[in-house]
Amino acid sequence: QVQLVESGGASVQTGGSLRLSCAASGSIVRILAMGWYRQAPGKQRELVADITSGGSTNYADSVKGRFTISRDAAKNTVYLQMNSLKPEDTAVYYCNAAALSQATLPHPMEYWGKGTLVTVSS
């Protein structure tokens, strides 16, 4: 199986920056894509950004120009650089990965981290 562990969540003021990290471990054969989702209380989980193994990226309109997703393939780690943070960015941020593991080969599966809290104060 694949385990995802997020880190970097914190409480910051409006305009501040944070860098989230997500490290994947386990019986990984290949990671096809990784991404970040967020969920605020009472709201649905939404996609923030994702990146494929080929480097293609996708961002929610609300974070374009402020957030940057990147990946270190050698470390099976994805990052989310968050700049110019706004109160609306407050949420639990979850790491997601689509991956092939030894246990489920040849079928890819999606995995989730337990989340890291980001709070932006106005």
Side-chain angles (χ1 to χ4, degrees):
Q1 301 294 323
V2 177
Q3 296 81 45
L4 304 176
V5 179
E6 305 99 331
S7 62
S11 180
V12 299
Q13 295 186 358
T14 298
S17 297
L18 287 173
R19 191 190 193 203
L20 305 183
S21 299
C22 174
S25 62
S27 56
I28 300 169
V29 176
R30 178 171 294 178
I31 294 177
L32 305 178
M34 298 186 76
W36 290 95
Y37 290 71
R38 66 187 182 188
Q39 186 170 30
K43 293 186 176 181
Q44 294 184 344
R45 189 172 300 186
E46 64 176 350
L47 174 68
V48 177
D50 58 25
I51 184 168
T52 69
S53 60
S56 298
T57 59
N58 181 53
Y59 296 92
D61 288 341
S62 60
V63 306
K64 287 181 179 178
R66 299 188 298 122
F67 292 7
T68 302
I69 189 169
S70 61
R71 179 187 175 201
D72 186 335
K75 297 181 179 180
N76 289 327
T77 300
V78 66
Y79 306 94
L80 185 67
Q81 180 65 48
M82 309 165 66
N83 298 327
S84 301
L85 284 163
K86 305 175 181 179
E88 64 192 56
D89 297 318
T90 296
V92 176
Y93 283 70
Y94 296 91
C95 181
N96 169 267
L100 295 171
S101 71
Q102 292 181 358
T104 62
L105 199 68
H107 306 292
M109 294 188 67
E110 291 194 346
Y111 302 88
W112 293 91
K114 292 186 176 182
T116 185
L117 178 63
V118 172
T119 301
V120 184
S121 302
S122 62

